[in-house]
Each structure stands twice: as C-alpha cells, then as structure tokens.
Amino acid sequence: KMMRSSLSKMTIVGLGNPGQQYSNTKHNAGFWVLDKLAEELSLTFKLGKGDYVHSKNANVRLVKPLGYMNNSGIGLKSYMDYFNIDINNILVVYDDADLPLGKIRFKSNGTSGGQKGIESIIYHLKNDKFLRLKIGIATTESTNSLASYVLAPFDHQYEQQVTNIVNESVDAIKFLLENDVSKTMNKYN
C-alpha cells in the first residue's frame, strides 16, 4: 500500500557519486534532479549526521547520500533512522540505463534491475517496497560496458534532452507532492 498520510512530509532521495569528477556523469542524474528541485524551492543542502547532505521545508525533505553509488543505502539508512522516516514516505530518484533518454518512470517496488544504488538501498533497508523515479539515460551511442557508459558524461548533442528530462522529473516530483502516487503514475508513466 502506497498511501501516505497527508501529515507526513515526503522525502526525496537523489542517487549519484560525490565529487567533482563525477558531477557530469550519467550516473548522477538523481543528483541533477535534486539540485534542480532544491534550486526551485530555494533550498540549500547541508552536511548531515551521517553520509549524506540534506535540506527541507514545510512540505518536503531532500537527501543525497554521499557514499558512492554502491553505498547509497548506508547514508540513506542513517538519515531515515536519525529523522525517523517511514519507508512509505520516500521517493528514490536515479538513472536507469534500460530506459531511453527522455523517458521517466515511477515504480512502486521490486528488484534493483542491476542498479547498484537501488541494490544497496534494498540491502540496507531490508525492504524493496519504496517508490522510485527512474530517469532514462540510454542513448543510441554504442557502449562497451555499462560501467564506462554510466560514468561518462552525455555527448553534447543530448544537452537539450538532458535539460528537458531533469525539468520534467522536477515537475513530476512537484506533482507527486500535491497528488497521490496513482494519479502521478497515470500522468507521467
């Protein structure tokens, strides 16, 4: 059941790798969306008591785990424990290499689909029943390995598409904050 009480704030979690050398890589799409959302809500991230940065206002909490992607669950779990956050109130935003660039997809539970950040979260929360927003990063560019693909920036030609998908993701999250999950899924999936 994905119904959350209207009293509880939603916690939006963006996945990525910390550090300047990763900031433009495809694997950081979750961070891009959170940064844009924070900017639109005039929120600034500050260092937390664990491996994360966070911010909040009256309606929403934003969290970026700072362990590398493969350790996303560690920072998120310490945040959730510290602030007593219910798993039903989180949305995890991350890149999906199986989804074409320009597509976003809400998903309410299930396996990681090989995404290491989600794998880590499922492992540390011992639960896969949390809402996700997948951001498609697949292009027609040929790739030797998934690792080298996700850890490289997008080619120049995709800049506008990337900007558009980040903006659409932010709109979708704002819509979710005002509406329920099924309404949001109907609109964006």
Side-chain angles (χ1 to χ4, degrees):
K1 261 171 73 69
M2 294 301 298
M3 284 309 292
R4 53 194 182 86
S5 75
S6 51
L7 292 175
S8 55
K9 280 186 210 185
M10 189 113 210
T11 297
I12 316 297
V13 184
L15 302 190
N17 284 307
Q20 207 46 56
Q21 73 270 39
Y22 293 109
S23 59
N24 289 321
T25 63
K26 301 179 191 82
H27 226 13
N28 274 36
F31 277 9
W32 301 343
V33 170
L34 253 75
D35 289 342
K36 179 75 182 160
L37 185 58
E39 184 190 313
E40 290 194 10
L41 299 173
S42 306
L43 291 172
T44 335
F45 287 101
K46 56 182 196 292
L47 211 49
K49 295 260 190 280
D51 237 352
Y52 57 86
V53 290
H54 63 125
S55 190
K56 68 178 168 79
N57 63 19
N59 308 313
V60 67
R61 295 170 170 275
L62 306 182
V63 192
K64 295 195 291 186
L66 289 187
Y68 288 91
M69 178 65 85
N70 303 6
N71 296 321
S72 298
I74 299 171
L76 179 56
K77 182 166 178 9
S78 66
Y79 177 87
M80 289 172 72
D81 289 348
Y82 188 80
F83 291 102
N84 197 19
I85 305 292
D86 190 292
I87 195 166
N88 291 316
N89 293 328
I90 70 170
L91 169 71
V92 182
V93 185
Y94 62 100
D95 61 289
D96 183 354
D98 293 324
L99 206 57
L101 173 62
K103 292 255 184 284
I104 61 174
R105 206 44 99 253
F106 283 95
K107 185 179 180 222
S108 56
N109 59 22
T111 65
S112 69
Q115 213 280 1
K116 299 285 191 238
I118 296 296
E119 217 164 86
S120 171
I121 290 171
I122 292 171
Y123 178 81
H124 288 281
L125 299 187
K126 298 180 175 46
N127 198 328
D128 71 355
K129 310 268 186 294
F130 54 88
L131 187 61
R132 301 124 201 233
L133 174 55
K134 307 197 284 186
I135 298 158
I137 61 163
T139 63
T140 52
E141 289 174 285
S142 64
T143 167
N144 302 328
S145 80
L146 181 62
S148 63
Y149 180 76
V150 299
L151 292 177
F154 277 106
D155 196 71
H156 259 341
Q157 58 177 324
Y158 299 113
E159 248 169 68
Q160 194 53 57
Q161 271 181 279
V162 171
T163 302
N164 294 347
I165 199 65
V166 168
N167 290 337
E168 191 186 347
S169 301
V170 168
D171 290 345
I173 292 167
K174 286 175 157 176
F175 185 85
L176 175 66
L177 295 173
E178 300 292 323
N179 298 275
D180 63 21
V181 174
S182 54
K183 208 168 173 182
T184 306
M185 285 185 165
N186 288 340
K187 185 171 162 75
Y188 288 95
N189 280 7

